DNA sequence: CTCAGTTGTTAGTGACCAATTACTACTTAG
DNA sequence: CTAAGTAGTAATTGGTCACTAACAACTGAG
Protein backbone atom coordinates (compact mmCIF):
# COMPACT_ATOMS: atom_id res chain seq x y z
CA UNK A 1 0.00 0.00 0.00
CA UNK A 2 2.73 2.39 0.93
CA UNK A 3 4.10 4.02 -2.21
CA UNK A 4 7.36 4.87 -0.49
CA UNK A 5 8.96 1.59 0.62
CA UNK A 6 12.08 1.45 2.69
CA UNK A 7 10.54 3.35 5.53
CA UNK A 8 8.90 0.37 7.16
CA UNK A 9 11.17 -2.60 7.64
CA UNK A 10 10.38 -6.02 6.28
CA UNK A 11 10.87 -8.53 9.11
CA UNK A 12 7.46 -9.42 10.48
CA UNK A 13 8.26 -9.22 14.17
CA UNK A 14 4.90 -9.21 15.89
CA UNK A 15 4.47 -7.09 18.95
CA UNK A 16 1.42 -6.25 20.99
CA UNK A 17 -0.66 -5.18 18.02
CA UNK A 18 0.86 -7.71 15.67
CA UNK A 19 2.25 -4.80 13.73
CA UNK A 20 5.50 -4.67 11.87
CA UNK A 21 7.91 -2.42 13.69
CA UNK A 22 8.81 0.89 12.23
CA UNK A 23 12.09 1.38 10.53
CA UNK A 24 14.93 2.84 12.48
CA UNK A 25 14.96 5.81 10.13
CA UNK A 26 13.30 8.58 12.02
CA UNK A 27 12.97 12.21 11.12
CA UNK A 28 12.22 15.27 13.16
CA UNK A 29 8.64 16.43 13.28
CA UNK A 30 9.70 19.50 11.37
CA UNK A 31 11.08 17.43 8.52
CA UNK A 32 7.90 15.39 8.40
CA UNK A 33 5.80 18.52 8.45
CA UNK A 34 7.58 19.82 5.40
CA UNK A 35 7.23 16.48 3.64
CA UNK A 36 3.51 16.44 4.40
CA UNK A 37 3.19 20.01 3.19
CA UNK A 38 4.90 19.17 -0.08
CA UNK A 39 2.69 16.12 -0.53
CA UNK A 40 -0.38 18.16 0.32
CA UNK A 41 0.47 20.77 -2.27
CA UNK A 42 0.69 18.13 -4.99
CA UNK A 43 -2.44 16.27 -3.99
CA UNK A 44 -4.58 19.29 -3.23
CA UNK A 45 -3.55 20.77 -6.56
CA UNK A 46 -5.09 17.76 -8.25
CA UNK A 47 -8.19 17.16 -6.18
CA UNK A 48 -8.87 20.26 -4.15
CA UNK A 49 -9.91 20.40 -0.52
CA UNK A 50 -12.91 18.08 -0.67
CA UNK A 51 -11.57 15.87 -3.42
CA UNK A 52 -8.41 14.86 -1.60
CA UNK A 53 -8.26 12.51 1.36
CA UNK A 54 -5.78 12.82 4.18
CA UNK A 55 -4.91 9.19 3.53
CA UNK A 56 -3.71 10.10 0.04
CA UNK A 57 -1.56 12.92 1.35
CA UNK A 58 -0.14 10.82 4.17
CA UNK A 59 0.71 8.01 1.75
CA UNK A 60 2.58 10.41 -0.53
CA UNK A 61 4.43 11.86 2.44
CA UNK A 62 5.36 8.36 3.56
CA UNK A 63 3.67 8.46 6.95
CA UNK A 64 0.56 6.97 8.46
CA UNK A 65 -2.67 8.90 8.16
CA UNK A 66 -3.13 9.46 11.92
CA UNK A 67 0.33 10.97 12.24
CA UNK A 68 -0.73 13.69 9.85
CA UNK A 69 -3.10 14.92 12.54
CA UNK A 70 -0.24 15.19 14.98
CA UNK A 71 1.53 17.52 12.58
CA UNK A 72 -1.51 19.55 11.50
CA UNK A 73 -4.65 20.23 13.53
CA UNK A 74 -7.02 19.28 10.72
CA UNK A 75 -7.36 18.92 7.00
CA UNK A 76 -8.49 22.44 6.29
CA UNK A 77 -5.55 23.96 8.17
CA UNK A 78 -3.22 21.87 6.02
CA UNK A 79 -5.00 23.03 2.90
CA UNK A 80 -4.71 26.65 3.89
CA UNK A 81 -1.05 26.29 4.72
CA UNK A 82 -0.51 24.62 1.37
CA UNK A 83 -2.04 27.46 -0.64
CA UNK A 84 -0.24 30.05 1.44
CA UNK A 85 3.09 28.32 0.93
CA UNK A 86 2.50 28.12 -2.80
CA UNK A 87 1.63 31.79 -2.83
CA UNK A 88 4.77 32.76 -0.96
CA UNK A 89 6.79 30.90 -3.54
CA UNK A 90 5.05 32.77 -6.34
CA UNK A 91 5.80 36.08 -4.64
CA UNK A 92 9.41 35.06 -4.08
CA UNK A 93 9.74 34.06 -7.73
CA UNK A 94 8.35 37.40 -8.83
CA UNK A 95 10.80 39.28 -6.66
CA UNK A 96 13.70 37.24 -7.93
CA UNK A 97 12.59 37.71 -11.53
CA UNK A 98 12.04 41.44 -11.29
CA UNK A 99 15.38 41.99 -9.59
CA UNK A 100 16.30 45.63 -9.77
CA UNK A 101 14.15 46.38 -12.81
CA UNK A 102 10.88 48.27 -12.70
CA UNK A 103 8.05 49.39 -14.92
CA UNK A 104 7.24 47.37 -18.01
CA UNK A 105 10.57 45.53 -17.72
CA UNK A 106 9.64 44.21 -14.29
CA UNK A 107 6.20 43.23 -15.54
CA UNK A 108 7.68 41.30 -18.44
CA UNK A 109 10.14 39.59 -16.10
CA UNK A 110 7.29 38.53 -13.85
CA UNK A 111 5.29 37.30 -16.83
CA UNK A 112 8.23 35.14 -17.84
CA UNK A 113 8.47 33.86 -14.27
CA UNK A 114 4.79 33.03 -14.38
CA UNK A 115 5.12 30.98 -17.55
CA UNK A 116 7.83 29.03 -15.77
CA UNK A 117 5.46 28.39 -12.90
CA UNK A 118 2.94 27.03 -15.37
CA UNK A 119 5.34 24.26 -16.26
CA UNK A 120 4.89 22.81 -12.80
CA UNK A 121 1.10 23.18 -12.76
CA UNK A 122 1.04 22.64 -9.00
CA UNK A 123 1.10 26.31 -8.09
CA UNK A 124 -1.62 27.44 -10.45
CA UNK A 125 -3.97 24.56 -9.73
CA UNK A 126 -3.48 25.04 -6.02
CA UNK A 127 -4.48 28.66 -6.15
CA UNK A 128 -7.42 27.76 -8.38
CA UNK A 129 -8.62 25.25 -5.80
CA UNK A 130 -8.16 27.88 -3.15
CA UNK A 131 -10.52 30.22 -4.99
CA UNK A 132 -12.97 27.40 -5.56
CA UNK A 133 -13.09 26.63 -1.84
CA UNK A 134 -13.78 30.24 -0.92
CA UNK A 135 -17.23 29.17 0.18
CA UNK A 136 -15.48 28.41 3.44
CA UNK A 137 -14.77 31.45 5.55
CA UNK A 138 -11.26 30.55 6.66
CA UNK A 139 -10.21 29.57 3.17
CA UNK A 140 -11.68 32.79 1.84
CA UNK A 141 -9.71 34.84 4.33
CA UNK A 142 -6.52 33.04 3.33
CA UNK A 143 -7.21 33.55 -0.37
CA UNK A 144 -7.79 37.23 0.19
CA UNK A 145 -4.43 37.53 1.95
CA UNK A 146 -2.73 35.68 -0.89
CA UNK A 147 -4.40 37.81 -3.52
CA UNK A 148 -3.50 40.98 -1.66
CA UNK A 149 0.14 39.96 -1.25
CA UNK A 150 0.52 39.18 -4.94
CA UNK A 151 -1.27 42.37 -5.92
CA UNK A 152 0.97 44.56 -3.80
CA UNK A 153 4.02 42.65 -4.98
CA UNK A 154 3.22 43.33 -8.62
CA UNK A 155 2.42 46.92 -7.83
CA UNK A 156 5.56 47.48 -5.79
CA UNK A 157 7.94 45.77 -8.19
CA UNK A 158 6.55 47.34 -11.34
CA UNK A 159 5.39 50.65 -9.97
CA UNK A 160 2.72 50.71 -12.66
CA UNK A 161 -0.87 51.93 -12.48
CA UNK A 162 -3.77 49.82 -11.15
CA UNK A 163 -5.25 49.21 -14.60
CA UNK A 164 -2.05 47.62 -15.81
CA UNK A 165 -1.64 45.59 -12.64
CA UNK A 166 -5.21 44.39 -12.95
CA UNK A 167 -4.72 43.39 -16.54
CA UNK A 168 -1.58 41.51 -15.60
CA UNK A 169 -3.38 39.72 -12.80
CA UNK A 170 -6.32 38.92 -15.04
CA UNK A 171 -4.00 37.30 -17.55
CA UNK A 172 -2.63 35.20 -14.71
CA UNK A 173 -6.14 34.02 -13.85
CA UNK A 174 -6.69 33.10 -17.48
CA UNK A 175 -3.47 31.09 -17.33
CA UNK A 176 -4.86 29.25 -14.33
CA UNK A 177 -7.90 27.95 -16.16
CA UNK A 178 -5.94 27.24 -19.31
CA UNK A 179 -3.61 25.15 -17.20
CA UNK A 180 -6.51 23.41 -15.49
CA UNK A 181 -8.08 22.53 -18.83
CA UNK A 182 -4.71 21.44 -20.22
CA UNK A 183 -5.31 23.49 -23.32
CA UNK A 184 -1.77 22.88 -24.57
CA UNK A 185 -2.96 19.35 -25.38
CA UNK A 186 -5.75 20.74 -27.55
CA UNK A 187 -4.82 21.32 -31.16
CA UNK A 188 -7.64 23.61 -32.18
CA UNK A 189 -7.77 27.23 -33.22
CA UNK A 190 -9.54 28.63 -30.16
CA UNK A 191 -7.23 26.75 -27.82
CA UNK A 192 -4.13 28.19 -29.44
CA UNK A 193 -5.50 31.70 -29.55
CA UNK A 194 -6.51 31.61 -25.91
CA UNK A 195 -2.96 30.96 -24.75
CA UNK A 196 -1.03 34.18 -24.25
CA UNK A 197 2.08 34.43 -26.40
CA UNK A 198 5.64 34.70 -25.17
CA UNK A 199 5.65 37.72 -22.85
CA UNK A 200 9.14 38.72 -24.05
CA UNK A 201 7.83 39.67 -27.46
CA UNK A 202 4.59 41.27 -26.35
CA UNK A 203 3.64 44.89 -26.90
CA UNK A 204 3.15 46.97 -23.74
CA UNK A 205 -0.03 48.80 -24.68
CA UNK A 206 -2.58 48.15 -27.40
CA UNK A 207 -1.42 46.81 -30.72
CA UNK B 1 -35.75 17.37 7.28
CA UNK B 2 -37.30 18.37 4.01
CA UNK B 3 -36.96 22.11 3.56
CA UNK B 4 -39.82 22.20 1.08
CA UNK B 5 -42.95 21.01 2.91
CA UNK B 6 -46.25 20.50 1.22
CA UNK B 7 -44.96 17.77 -0.99
CA UNK B 8 -45.38 14.99 1.53
CA UNK B 9 -48.75 14.90 3.21
CA UNK B 10 -49.17 14.84 6.97
CA UNK B 11 -51.60 12.01 7.84
CA UNK B 12 -49.52 9.07 9.00
CA UNK B 13 -51.16 6.32 7.02
CA UNK B 14 -48.85 3.35 7.32
CA UNK B 15 -48.38 1.09 4.37
CA UNK B 16 -46.01 -1.78 3.81
CA UNK B 17 -42.91 0.24 4.66
CA UNK B 18 -44.63 2.29 7.34
CA UNK B 19 -44.03 5.29 5.17
CA UNK B 20 -46.16 8.36 4.86
CA UNK B 21 -47.86 8.42 1.46
CA UNK B 22 -46.76 10.94 -1.08
CA UNK B 23 -48.79 14.01 -1.77
CA UNK B 24 -51.18 14.00 -4.67
CA UNK B 25 -49.16 16.77 -6.32
CA UNK B 26 -47.14 15.05 -8.98
CA UNK B 27 -45.00 16.55 -11.70
CA UNK B 28 -43.62 15.19 -14.90
CA UNK B 29 -40.13 13.81 -14.82
CA UNK B 30 -39.08 16.63 -17.10
CA UNK B 31 -40.30 19.25 -14.64
CA UNK B 32 -38.48 17.50 -11.82
CA UNK B 33 -35.35 17.28 -13.91
CA UNK B 34 -35.37 21.01 -14.43
CA UNK B 35 -36.00 21.62 -10.75
CA UNK B 36 -33.09 19.37 -9.86
CA UNK B 37 -30.89 21.10 -12.39
CA UNK B 38 -31.72 24.50 -10.94
CA UNK B 39 -31.05 23.23 -7.44
CA UNK B 40 -27.81 21.63 -8.57
CA UNK B 41 -26.59 24.86 -10.12
CA UNK B 42 -27.12 26.73 -6.85
CA UNK B 43 -25.58 24.08 -4.64
CA UNK B 44 -22.68 23.18 -6.89
CA UNK B 45 -21.90 26.87 -7.24
CA UNK B 46 -21.38 27.00 -3.50
CA UNK B 47 -19.65 23.72 -2.81
CA UNK B 48 -18.35 22.35 -6.08
CA UNK B 49 -18.48 18.75 -7.24
CA UNK B 50 -16.92 17.07 -4.23
CA UNK B 51 -18.16 19.58 -1.68
CA UNK B 52 -21.84 19.13 -2.46
CA UNK B 53 -23.88 16.06 -1.58
CA UNK B 54 -26.70 14.74 -3.72
CA UNK B 55 -28.83 14.86 -0.58
CA UNK B 56 -28.40 18.63 -0.42
CA UNK B 57 -29.40 19.04 -4.04
CA UNK B 58 -32.37 16.71 -3.73
CA UNK B 59 -33.59 18.55 -0.64
CA UNK B 60 -33.44 21.88 -2.44
CA UNK B 61 -35.27 20.41 -5.41
CA UNK B 62 -37.93 19.02 -3.08
CA UNK B 63 -37.47 15.36 -3.91
CA UNK B 64 -35.96 12.38 -2.21
CA UNK B 65 -32.28 11.74 -2.78
CA UNK B 66 -32.72 8.36 -4.53
CA UNK B 67 -35.13 9.86 -7.04
CA UNK B 68 -32.35 12.14 -8.18
CA UNK B 69 -30.62 9.07 -9.55
CA UNK B 70 -33.65 8.20 -11.63
CA UNK B 71 -33.42 11.59 -13.29
CA UNK B 72 -29.64 11.71 -13.70
CA UNK B 73 -27.30 8.74 -14.09
CA UNK B 74 -24.84 9.95 -11.46
CA UNK B 75 -23.58 12.96 -9.61
CA UNK B 76 -20.88 13.90 -12.08
CA UNK B 77 -23.29 13.90 -15.01
CA UNK B 78 -25.51 16.28 -13.09
CA UNK B 79 -22.54 18.50 -12.35
CA UNK B 80 -21.52 18.60 -15.98
CA UNK B 81 -25.03 19.38 -17.12
CA UNK B 82 -25.18 22.15 -14.54
CA UNK B 83 -22.05 23.89 -15.75
CA UNK B 84 -23.08 23.47 -19.38
CA UNK B 85 -26.49 24.95 -18.70
CA UNK B 86 -24.93 27.90 -16.92
CA UNK B 87 -22.59 28.39 -19.82
CA UNK B 88 -25.40 28.36 -22.34
CA UNK B 89 -27.14 31.06 -20.36
CA UNK B 90 -23.98 33.14 -20.38
CA UNK B 91 -23.70 32.76 -24.13
CA UNK B 92 -27.36 33.63 -24.58
CA UNK B 93 -26.97 36.71 -22.40
CA UNK B 94 -24.00 37.83 -24.46
CA UNK B 95 -25.93 37.45 -27.68
CA UNK B 96 -28.88 39.35 -26.31
CA UNK B 97 -26.62 42.11 -25.00
CA UNK B 98 -24.62 42.53 -28.17
CA UNK B 99 -27.73 42.64 -30.32
CA UNK B 100 -26.86 44.06 -33.71
CA UNK B 101 -23.79 45.93 -32.50
CA UNK B 102 -20.24 44.85 -33.20
CA UNK B 103 -16.66 45.78 -32.45
CA UNK B 104 -15.92 47.66 -29.24
CA UNK B 105 -19.61 48.42 -28.77
CA UNK B 106 -20.45 44.73 -28.68
CA UNK B 107 -17.58 44.10 -26.29
CA UNK B 108 -18.79 46.81 -23.94
CA UNK B 109 -22.33 45.46 -24.11
CA UNK B 110 -21.07 41.99 -23.19
CA UNK B 111 -19.00 43.43 -20.35
CA UNK B 112 -22.12 45.09 -18.97
CA UNK B 113 -23.97 41.81 -19.31
CA UNK B 114 -21.19 40.10 -17.42
CA UNK B 115 -21.40 42.52 -14.52
CA UNK B 116 -25.09 41.71 -14.32
CA UNK B 117 -24.23 38.03 -14.15
CA UNK B 118 -21.94 38.79 -11.23
CA UNK B 119 -24.94 39.97 -9.25
CA UNK B 120 -26.25 36.41 -9.18
CA UNK B 121 -22.86 34.81 -8.36
CA UNK B 122 -24.20 31.39 -9.33
CA UNK B 123 -22.93 31.48 -12.89
CA UNK B 124 -19.42 32.63 -12.13
CA UNK B 125 -18.90 30.31 -9.18
CA UNK B 126 -20.24 27.41 -11.16
CA UNK B 127 -17.77 27.93 -13.97
CA UNK B 128 -15.00 28.37 -11.41
CA UNK B 129 -15.87 25.02 -9.85
CA UNK B 130 -15.92 23.52 -13.30
CA UNK B 131 -12.35 24.61 -13.89
CA UNK B 132 -11.33 23.40 -10.46
CA UNK B 133 -12.71 19.94 -11.17
CA UNK B 134 -10.82 19.66 -14.46
CA UNK B 135 -8.71 16.95 -12.87
CA UNK B 136 -11.53 14.70 -14.02
CA UNK B 137 -11.45 13.86 -17.70
CA UNK B 138 -15.16 14.23 -18.43
CA UNK B 139 -15.39 17.50 -16.55
CA UNK B 140 -12.34 18.75 -18.39
CA UNK B 141 -13.89 17.92 -21.74
CA UNK B 142 -17.06 19.76 -20.78
CA UNK B 143 -15.12 22.81 -19.59
CA UNK B 144 -13.20 22.92 -22.83
CA UNK B 145 -16.44 22.93 -24.79
CA UNK B 146 -17.82 25.70 -22.62
CA UNK B 147 -14.67 27.75 -22.95
CA UNK B 148 -14.62 27.26 -26.70
CA UNK B 149 -18.27 28.26 -27.08
CA UNK B 150 -17.80 31.45 -25.10
CA UNK B 151 -14.58 32.25 -26.94
CA UNK B 152 -16.18 31.90 -30.35
CA UNK B 153 -19.23 33.82 -29.19
CA UNK B 154 -17.13 36.78 -28.11
CA UNK B 155 -15.14 36.59 -31.32
CA UNK B 156 -18.19 36.31 -33.52
CA UNK B 157 -20.20 39.05 -31.86
CA UNK B 158 -17.37 41.54 -31.57
CA UNK B 159 -15.35 40.63 -34.64
CA UNK B 160 -12.25 41.81 -32.81
CA UNK B 161 -8.75 40.37 -32.85
CA UNK B 162 -7.63 37.45 -30.62
CA UNK B 163 -5.58 39.67 -28.32
CA UNK B 164 -8.61 41.75 -27.44
CA UNK B 165 -10.81 38.70 -27.03
CA UNK B 166 -8.21 37.13 -24.77
CA UNK B 167 -7.97 40.24 -22.66
CA UNK B 168 -11.74 40.35 -22.36
CA UNK B 169 -11.86 36.72 -21.34
CA UNK B 170 -9.02 37.19 -18.87
CA UNK B 171 -10.92 40.00 -17.19
CA UNK B 172 -13.86 37.63 -16.88
CA UNK B 173 -11.68 35.09 -15.12
CA UNK B 174 -10.49 37.78 -12.73
CA UNK B 175 -14.13 38.59 -12.04
CA UNK B 176 -14.68 34.94 -11.17
CA UNK B 177 -12.12 34.90 -8.40
CA UNK B 178 -13.13 38.35 -7.17
CA UNK B 179 -16.66 37.03 -6.89
CA UNK B 180 -15.48 33.88 -5.14
CA UNK B 181 -13.52 35.90 -2.61
CA UNK B 182 -16.41 38.33 -2.16
CA UNK B 183 -14.06 41.24 -2.55
CA UNK B 184 -16.93 43.72 -2.64
CA UNK B 185 -17.22 43.09 1.10
CA UNK B 186 -13.59 44.09 1.61
CA UNK B 187 -13.02 47.77 2.19
CA UNK B 188 -9.31 47.95 1.49
CA UNK B 189 -7.31 49.65 -1.22
CA UNK B 190 -6.14 46.53 -3.08
CA UNK B 191 -9.65 45.07 -3.07
CA UNK B 192 -11.13 48.19 -4.64
CA UNK B 193 -8.40 48.48 -7.24
CA UNK B 194 -8.72 44.85 -8.25
CA UNK B 195 -12.36 45.23 -9.22
CA UNK B 196 -12.75 46.39 -12.80
CA UNK B 197 -14.60 49.68 -13.14
CA UNK B 198 -17.86 50.24 -14.97
CA UNK B 199 -17.27 48.91 -18.49
CA UNK B 200 -19.39 51.69 -19.99
CA UNK B 201 -16.83 54.32 -19.12
CA UNK B 202 -13.74 52.30 -19.93
CA UNK B 203 -11.17 53.16 -22.54
CA UNK B 204 -10.80 50.66 -25.38
CA UNK B 205 -7.02 50.47 -25.55
CA UNK B 206 -4.31 51.48 -23.12
CA UNK B 207 -4.72 54.64 -21.09
C1' DC C 1 -62.87 -1.06 -13.81
C1' DT C 2 -58.32 -2.57 -14.91
C1' DC C 3 -53.79 -2.67 -15.98
C1' DA C 4 -49.60 -0.78 -17.63
C1' DG C 5 -46.67 3.01 -17.19
C1' DT C 6 -44.96 6.83 -14.48
C1' DT C 7 -43.79 9.23 -10.34
C1' DG C 8 -42.08 8.90 -6.07
C1' DT C 9 -40.78 6.92 -1.57
C1' DT C 10 -38.28 4.27 2.41
C1' DA C 11 -34.70 1.38 3.60
C1' DG C 12 -30.36 -0.35 2.99
C1' DT C 13 -25.39 -1.21 1.32
C1' DG C 14 -20.70 -0.92 0.97
C1' DA C 15 -17.19 2.17 0.73
C1' DC C 16 -14.72 5.90 2.37
C1' DC C 17 -13.15 9.46 5.40
C1' DA C 18 -11.56 12.82 9.17
C1' DA C 19 -10.25 12.45 13.52
C1' DT C 20 -9.27 9.92 18.12
C1' DT C 21 -7.38 6.53 21.10
C1' DA C 22 -4.12 3.83 22.72
C1' DC C 23 -0.34 2.00 22.15
C1' DT C 24 4.96 1.02 20.64
C1' DA C 25 9.71 2.21 19.37
C1' DC C 26 13.30 5.13 19.42
C1' DT C 27 16.32 8.96 21.45
C1' DT C 28 18.53 11.64 24.68
C1' DA C 29 19.55 14.08 29.08
C1' DG C 30 21.05 13.20 33.72
C1' DC D 1 20.76 2.73 33.55
C1' DT D 2 16.66 5.17 33.64
C1' DA D 3 13.13 8.19 32.87
C1' DA D 4 11.12 11.65 30.14
C1' DG D 5 10.27 13.09 25.73
C1' DT D 6 9.62 12.37 20.78
C1' DA D 7 8.36 9.88 16.51
C1' DG D 8 5.43 6.81 14.77
C1' DT D 9 1.73 3.16 14.05
C1' DA D 10 -2.63 0.02 14.26
C1' DA D 11 -7.17 -0.09 15.37
C1' DT D 12 -11.29 2.13 15.82
C1' DT D 13 -15.12 5.37 15.66
C1' DG D 14 -18.88 7.89 14.22
C1' DG D 15 -20.36 9.80 10.40
C1' DT D 16 -21.33 10.72 5.46
C1' DC D 17 -21.96 9.64 0.86
C1' DA D 18 -23.22 7.82 -3.83
C1' DC D 19 -25.97 4.67 -5.42
C1' DT D 20 -29.35 0.43 -5.42
C1' DA D 21 -33.34 -2.40 -4.22
C1' DA D 22 -37.78 -2.82 -3.26
C1' DC D 23 -41.96 -1.14 -3.10
C1' DA D 24 -46.21 1.99 -3.37
C1' DA D 25 -49.24 5.77 -5.05
C1' DC D 26 -50.97 8.10 -8.80
C1' DT D 27 -52.56 8.58 -13.81
C1' DG D 28 -54.53 7.72 -18.06
C1' DA D 29 -55.79 4.70 -21.97
C1' DG D 30 -58.90 1.00 -23.33
Amino acid sequence: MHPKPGLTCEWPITNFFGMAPTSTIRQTAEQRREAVLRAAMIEFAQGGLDGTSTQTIAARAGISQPYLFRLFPNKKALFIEAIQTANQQIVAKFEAAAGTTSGQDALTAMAVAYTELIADRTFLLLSLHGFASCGDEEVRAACRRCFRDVWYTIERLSGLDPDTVRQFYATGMLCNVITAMQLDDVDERWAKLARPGDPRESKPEGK
Side-chain angles (χ1 to χ4, degrees), chain A:
Chain A
M1 228 5 167
H2 268 249
K4 300 281 172 66
L7 256 165
T8 55
C9 81
E10 303 301 306
W11 41 25
I13 295 172
T14 42
N15 46 31
F16 187 87
F17 271 120
M19 75 189 194
T22 58
S23 137
T24 54
I25 303 168
R26 296 214 311 188
Q27 293 176 247
T28 65
E30 189 51 39
Q31 285 174 316
R32 290 293 193 197
R33 245 189 80 94
E34 284 167 18
V36 169
L37 198 52
R38 275 195 305 273
M41 286 171 68
I42 294 169
E43 294 297 336
F44 278 137
Q46 289 177 15
L49 175 57
D50 294 306
T52 307
S53 73
T54 55
Q55 168 58 40
T56 305
I57 296 167
R60 177 177 283 274
I63 62 164
S64 65
Q65 182 256 3
Y67 190 38
L68 187 148
F69 288 92
R70 199 82 64 80
L71 303 170
F72 295 87
N74 52 54
K75 188 190 184 184
K76 192 165 68 175
L78 175 57
F79 179 72
I80 289 175
E81 192 157 331
I83 58 177
Q84 282 179 337
T85 302
N87 207 69
Q88 283 161 11
Q89 294 184 25
I90 291 174
V91 168
K93 198 160 176 63
F94 277 178
E95 284 173 341
T100 58
T101 63
S102 71
Q104 190 61 44
D105 289 344
L107 212 62
T108 303
M110 286 188 277
V112 172
Y114 210 73
T115 58
E116 286 169 21
L117 282 172
I118 291 175
D120 190 345
R121 291 185 87 246
T122 304
F123 295 91
L124 300 209
L125 293 184
L126 207 43
S127 82
L128 187 62
H129 278 293
F131 294 130
S133 295
C134 271
D136 178 275
E137 193 179 326
E138 295 174 56
V139 175
R140 185 165 62 245
C143 285
R144 284 174 175 173
R145 285 193 300 273
C146 290
F147 187 96
R148 181 200 59 194
D149 290 346
V150 171
W151 179 275
Y152 281 146
T153 299
I154 299 168
E155 209 174 38
R156 172 169 54 85
L157 294 176
S158 74
L160 296 172
D161 63 296
D163 283 343
T164 306
V165 174
R166 188 188 311 113
Q167 187 181 320
F168 180 82
Y169 214 125
T171 305
M173 296 302 104
L174 180 64
C175 287
N176 277 4
V177 305
I178 284 173
T179 303
M181 287 188 293
Q182 304 176 23
L183 277 203
D184 28 352
D185 294 346
V186 179
D187 192 30
E188 296 177 33
R189 180 173 162 276
W190 60 276
K192 287 182 223 164
L193 292 178
R195 289 183 62 84
D198 190 323
R200 275 158 297 203
E201 53 197 51
S202 77
K203 46 280 134 185
E205 303 271 296
K207 177 62 188 289

